[in-house]
PDB file of all heavy atoms in Angstrom:
ATOM      1  N   ASN A 122       6.094   7.356  14.659  1.00  0.00           N
ATOM      2  CA  ASN A 122       4.857   6.747  15.157  1.00  0.00           C
ATOM      3  C   ASN A 122       5.053   5.268  15.483  1.00  0.00           C
ATOM      4  O   ASN A 122       4.425   4.750  16.404  1.00  0.00           O
ATOM      5  CB  ASN A 122       3.711   6.935  14.158  1.00  0.00           C
ATOM      6  CG  ASN A 122       3.061   8.287  14.305  1.00  0.00           C
ATOM      7  OD1 ASN A 122       2.885   8.792  15.418  1.00  0.00           O
ATOM      8  ND2 ASN A 122       2.701   8.896  13.194  1.00  0.00           N
ATOM      9  N   ALA A 123       5.936   4.605  14.755  1.00  0.00           N
ATOM     10  CA  ALA A 123       6.222   3.205  15.060  1.00  0.00           C
ATOM     11  C   ALA A 123       6.819   3.099  16.462  1.00  0.00           C
ATOM     12  O   ALA A 123       6.402   2.260  17.254  1.00  0.00           O
ATOM     13  CB  ALA A 123       7.177   2.616  14.026  1.00  0.00           C
ATOM     14  N   ARG A 124       7.780   3.977  16.752  1.00  0.00           N
ATOM     15  CA  ARG A 124       8.409   3.969  18.076  1.00  0.00           C
ATOM     16  C   ARG A 124       7.385   4.222  19.177  1.00  0.00           C
ATOM     17  O   ARG A 124       7.350   3.511  20.180  1.00  0.00           O
ATOM     18  CB  ARG A 124       9.503   5.048  18.134  1.00  0.00           C
ATOM     19  CG  ARG A 124      10.878   4.510  18.396  1.00  0.00           C
ATOM     20  CD  ARG A 124      11.905   5.599  18.654  1.00  0.00           C
ATOM     21  NE  ARG A 124      11.800   6.799  17.849  1.00  0.00           N
ATOM     22  CZ  ARG A 124      12.259   6.922  16.604  1.00  0.00           C
ATOM     23  NH1 ARG A 124      12.869   5.929  16.018  1.00  0.00           N
ATOM     24  NH2 ARG A 124      12.111   8.061  15.946  1.00  0.00           N
ATOM     25  N   LYS A 125       6.545   5.234  18.996  1.00  0.00           N
ATOM     26  CA  LYS A 125       5.516   5.552  19.997  1.00  0.00           C
ATOM     27  C   LYS A 125       4.591   4.351  20.225  1.00  0.00           C
ATOM     28  O   LYS A 125       4.252   4.022  21.362  1.00  0.00           O
ATOM     29  CB  LYS A 125       4.670   6.750  19.535  1.00  0.00           C
ATOM     30  CG  LYS A 125       5.382   8.068  19.561  1.00  0.00           C
ATOM     31  CD  LYS A 125       4.475   9.157  19.004  1.00  0.00           C
ATOM     32  CE  LYS A 125       5.251  10.427  18.681  1.00  0.00           C
ATOM     33  NZ  LYS A 125       4.433  11.414  17.964  1.00  0.00           N
ATOM     34  N   THR A 126       4.208   3.725  19.141  1.00  0.00           N
ATOM     35  CA  THR A 126       3.277   2.600  19.230  1.00  0.00           C
ATOM     36  C   THR A 126       3.915   1.392  19.905  1.00  0.00           C
ATOM     37  O   THR A 126       3.283   0.730  20.743  1.00  0.00           O
ATOM     38  CB  THR A 126       2.762   2.234  17.823  1.00  0.00           C
ATOM     39  OG1 THR A 126       2.200   3.414  17.221  1.00  0.00           O
ATOM     40  CG2 THR A 126       1.700   1.165  17.882  1.00  0.00           C
ATOM     41  N   PHE A 127       5.163   1.106  19.572  1.00  0.00           N
ATOM     42  CA  PHE A 127       5.849  -0.018  20.221  1.00  0.00           C
ATOM     43  C   PHE A 127       6.082   0.261  21.702  1.00  0.00           C
ATOM     44  O   PHE A 127       6.018  -0.653  22.522  1.00  0.00           O
ATOM     45  CB  PHE A 127       7.169  -0.351  19.520  1.00  0.00           C
ATOM     46  CG  PHE A 127       6.979  -1.088  18.219  1.00  0.00           C
ATOM     47  CD1 PHE A 127       7.524  -0.588  17.046  1.00  0.00           C
ATOM     48  CD2 PHE A 127       6.262  -2.270  18.161  1.00  0.00           C
ATOM     49  CE1 PHE A 127       7.362  -1.261  15.845  1.00  0.00           C
ATOM     50  CE2 PHE A 127       6.088  -2.953  16.957  1.00  0.00           C
ATOM     51  CZ  PHE A 127       6.640  -2.440  15.805  1.00  0.00           C
ATOM     52  N   ARG A 128       6.329   1.516  22.062  1.00  0.00           N
ATOM     53  CA  ARG A 128       6.483   1.849  23.487  1.00  0.00           C
ATOM     54  C   ARG A 128       5.171   1.605  24.237  1.00  0.00           C
ATOM     55  O   ARG A 128       5.182   1.110  25.363  1.00  0.00           O
ATOM     56  CB  ARG A 128       6.943   3.303  23.650  1.00  0.00           C
ATOM     57  CG  ARG A 128       8.411   3.481  23.355  1.00  0.00           C
ATOM     58  CD  ARG A 128       8.890   4.891  23.691  1.00  0.00           C
ATOM     59  NE  ARG A 128      10.231   5.091  23.192  1.00  0.00           N
ATOM     60  CZ  ARG A 128      10.584   6.017  22.303  1.00  0.00           C
ATOM     61  NH1 ARG A 128       9.700   6.873  21.839  1.00  0.00           N
ATOM     62  NH2 ARG A 128      11.831   6.107  21.896  1.00  0.00           N
ATOM     63  N   LEU A 129       4.061   1.961  23.606  1.00  0.00           N
ATOM     64  CA  LEU A 129       2.750   1.688  24.207  1.00  0.00           C
ATOM     65  C   LEU A 129       2.524   0.182  24.346  1.00  0.00           C
ATOM     66  O   LEU A 129       2.051  -0.290  25.379  1.00  0.00           O
ATOM     67  CB  LEU A 129       1.636   2.279  23.333  1.00  0.00           C
ATOM     68  CG  LEU A 129       1.064   3.618  23.721  1.00  0.00           C
ATOM     69  CD1 LEU A 129       0.100   4.113  22.647  1.00  0.00           C
ATOM     70  CD2 LEU A 129       0.365   3.547  25.052  1.00  0.00           C
ATOM     71  N   ALA A 130       2.861  -0.554  23.301  1.00  0.00           N
ATOM     72  CA  ALA A 130       2.684  -2.015  23.333  1.00  0.00           C
ATOM     73  C   ALA A 130       3.552  -2.635  24.422  1.00  0.00           C
ATOM     74  O   ALA A 130       3.142  -3.603  25.077  1.00  0.00           O
ATOM     75  CB  ALA A 130       3.014  -2.617  21.975  1.00  0.00           C
ATOM     76  N   ALA A 131       4.748  -2.092  24.630  1.00  0.00           N
ATOM     77  CA  ALA A 131       5.690  -2.648  25.609  1.00  0.00           C
ATOM     78  C   ALA A 131       5.198  -2.488  27.046  1.00  0.00           C
ATOM     79  O   ALA A 131       5.705  -3.167  27.944  1.00  0.00           O
ATOM     80  CB  ALA A 131       7.061  -1.998  25.448  1.00  0.00           C
ATOM     81  N   LYS A 132       4.205  -1.648  27.267  1.00  0.00           N
ATOM     82  CA  LYS A 132       3.651  -1.493  28.619  1.00  0.00           C
ATOM     83  C   LYS A 132       2.884  -2.736  29.061  1.00  0.00           C
ATOM     84  O   LYS A 132       2.668  -2.944  30.247  1.00  0.00           O
ATOM     85  CB  LYS A 132       2.749  -0.257  28.684  1.00  0.00           C
ATOM     86  CG  LYS A 132       3.532   1.036  28.587  1.00  0.00           C
ATOM     87  CD  LYS A 132       2.622   2.242  28.672  1.00  0.00           C
ATOM     88  CE  LYS A 132       3.449   3.517  28.580  1.00  0.00           C
ATOM     89  NZ  LYS A 132       2.621   4.710  28.706  1.00  0.00           N
ATOM     90  N   ASP A 133       2.468  -3.549  28.099  1.00  0.00           N
ATOM     91  CA  ASP A 133       1.801  -4.811  28.396  1.00  0.00           C
ATOM     92  C   ASP A 133       2.871  -5.898  28.437  1.00  0.00           C
ATOM     93  O   ASP A 133       3.608  -6.083  27.468  1.00  0.00           O
ATOM     94  CB  ASP A 133       0.765  -5.122  27.314  1.00  0.00           C
ATOM     95  CG  ASP A 133      -0.090  -6.327  27.650  1.00  0.00           C
ATOM     96  OD1 ASP A 133       0.472  -7.377  28.035  1.00  0.00           O
ATOM     97  OD2 ASP A 133      -1.321  -6.222  27.514  1.00  0.00           O
ATOM     98  N   LYS A 134       2.957  -6.612  29.542  1.00  0.00           N
ATOM     99  CA  LYS A 134       4.032  -7.602  29.716  1.00  0.00           C
ATOM    100  C   LYS A 134       3.996  -8.696  28.652  1.00  0.00           C
ATOM    101  O   LYS A 134       5.025  -9.277  28.327  1.00  0.00           O
ATOM    102  CB  LYS A 134       3.991  -8.200  31.118  1.00  0.00           C
ATOM    103  CG  LYS A 134       2.762  -9.024  31.424  1.00  0.00           C
ATOM    104  CD  LYS A 134       2.794  -9.573  32.833  1.00  0.00           C
ATOM    105  CE  LYS A 134       1.509 -10.363  33.072  1.00  0.00           C
ATOM    106  NZ  LYS A 134       1.408 -10.832  34.424  1.00  0.00           N
TER     107      LYS A 134
END
Side-chain angles (χ1 to χ4, degrees):
N122 277 321
R124 241 189 321 279
K125 289 177 194 172
T126 305
F127 284 124
R128 283 187 190 120
L129 262 173
K132 290 181 180 182
D133 187 312
K134 65 180 179 185

